[in-house]
Amino acid sequence: MLHKTWSVIRREFVERVRTKAFIISTVLGPVFFGAMAIVPGYLMSRDTGVKRIAVVDASGNEFGQKLTSGLKAAQRRGEDAGSRYEVTRVAAAGRLLDVRDSLVKMTGLSKRQDSGFEGLLLVSDSSVTSGKLQYLGANVGSFDDMGELERIARPLIIAERLAAMGVD
């Protein structure tokens, strides 16, 4: 009885394995899943040119100006190395939310405009104390863009925190 069961199982297995659909899916399945893992990472890491960013500065000190200067000094990688960011500093003393809401209309968050910004970097007094900046933009999913902004802002935040503690 067991011999007959194994014979039926073997026959069914061989019958399924010999089909064109099984062979094609065995070859193309891993290729498809590999492409689904690699293509999004490639698309997010592409350098798409100069990014237009508005720094909304509601800090009571010159940290927003330092951050703006740091972003303007950032260079792109590659053969066509040039300025990575086109930065506009918007002073928003005490009215960060009002300025932010008016500028969101000019970003890719609501409706794409040629003269608008790709993102807003919000700077307040709490940004330095907490060590975190708020960024609003259409490219927040890009690991490269967020990593580059963090690479530029982190040393400036650390220097500002040390200066506030009286350390040279």
Side-chain angles (χ1 to χ4, degrees), residues 41-74:
Y42 169 73
L43 292 176
M44 285 192 291
S45 69
R46 290 187 311 170
D47 191 12
T48 58
V50 178
K51 309 261 187 298
R52 294 180 309 256
I53 293 179
V55 174
V56 182
D57 185 10
S59 64
N61 51 29
E62 68 276 352
F63 177 69
Q65 184 61 42
K66 290 178 184 177
L67 184 61
T68 302
S69 299
L71 288 170
K72 285 182 180 179

Side-chain angles (χ1 to χ4, degrees), residues 61-132:
N61 51 29
E62 68 276 352
F63 177 69
Q65 184 61 42
K66 290 178 184 177
L67 184 61
T68 302
S69 299
L71 288 170
K72 285 182 180 179
Q75 298 291 311
R76 281 188 287 160
R77 290 171 270 172
E79 296 173 11
D80 59 342
S83 182
R84 186 175 180 96
Y85 299 106
E86 181 182 315
V87 184
T88 304
R89 182 176 169 265
V90 180
R95 50 188 185 91
L96 178 67
L97 297 178
D98 296 335
V99 174
R100 179 198 68 187
D101 291 343
S102 66
L103 289 175
V104 164
K105 296 173 187 170
M106 298 176 66
T107 66
L109 295 173
S110 58
K111 183 179 175 183
R112 192 70 172 180
Q113 297 178 1
D114 291 335
S115 63
F117 300 109
E118 294 182 41
L120 303 175
L121 191 58
L122 307 177
V123 179
S124 66
D125 290 328
S126 65
S127 300
V128 175
T129 57
S130 69
K132 296 180 181 181

